[in-house]
Amino acid sequence: MANNEELQHIVQTQVSAAVSQTSKQLLSDLEKLMSSRLDALKDDLTTSQKKISENQMAAVREMKSNDIPTFRKKYCEEQYKYNEKVGEKLVQASRQLGEIDGNHPNVNAAKTHR
């Protein structure tokens, strides 16, 4: 009888140890998963905020460009408008290059060429 109780105690100890170890591993894995998900969410939020900010800045620049100074000659006004459009397109292109993965050599060359 004592042998049977001793065997049950050993089995119970072994099962408890295995359950405890499995629980610890499960909690550790869950913590890693939550941490990686939170980091990904943080990165997504940062990227979204950056895009929103850039769009707002583009809208402000566009509103500013609508205030055209007065020129004596018509061709000066046309040149001014053209230069403003070119400048905005360059800003947009730079913004889009910033969103592209920078591992491509042509992208890096385009980013540094100014």
Side-chain angles (χ1 to χ4, degrees), residues 3 10 36 40 45 56 61 63 77 96 105-107 114:
N3 195 13
I10 291 172
S36 68
L45 285 174
Q56 289 174 342
R61 278 192 293 276
M63 288 172 34
E77 182 178 340
Q96 289 175 349
N106 291 342
V107 171
R114 292 191 177 166

Side-chain angles (χ1 to χ4, degrees):
M1 186 94 152
N3 195 13
N4 191 19
E5 288 176 9
E6 190 176 305
L7 186 60
Q8 280 183 335
H9 179 68
I10 291 172
V11 169
Q12 186 176 6
T13 304
Q14 293 284 334
V15 168
S16 294
V19 167
S20 176
Q21 183 179 6
T22 304
S23 295
K24 287 179 184 178
Q25 184 64 39
L26 181 62
L27 286 173
S28 176
D29 291 346
L30 184 61
E31 181 181 358
K32 289 177 186 175
L33 176 66
M34 293 298 289
S35 178
S36 68
R37 294 283 175 118
L38 285 173
D39 288 343
L41 179 63
K42 191 185 311 181
D43 291 343
D44 288 347
L45 285 174
T46 301
T47 302
S48 296
Q49 287 289 10
K50 187 175 181 181
K51 287 181 182 179
I52 289 169
S53 175
E54 288 173 352
N55 289 339
Q56 289 174 342
M57 289 302 295
V60 168
R61 278 192 293 276
E62 185 178 331
M63 288 172 34
K64 275 177 66 177
S65 70
N66 290 339
D67 299 331
I68 300 171
T70 57
F71 296 96
R72 288 185 182 173
K73 300 192 179 190
K74 183 71 175 171
Y75 71 88
C76 292
E77 182 178 340
E78 294 300 320
Q79 184 65 46
Y80 177 83
K81 289 178 184 178
Y82 178 78
N83 290 345
E84 287 292 312
K85 288 180 184 177
V86 169
E88 181 59 34
K89 294 297 180 185
L90 287 173
V91 169
Q92 288 175 356
S94 177
R95 193 175 330 127
Q96 289 175 349
L97 282 173
E99 295 173 2
I100 297 174
D101 184 20
N103 294 330
H104 194 277
N106 291 342
V107 171
N108 288 332
K111 285 181 180 179
T112 58
H113 182 71
R114 292 191 177 166

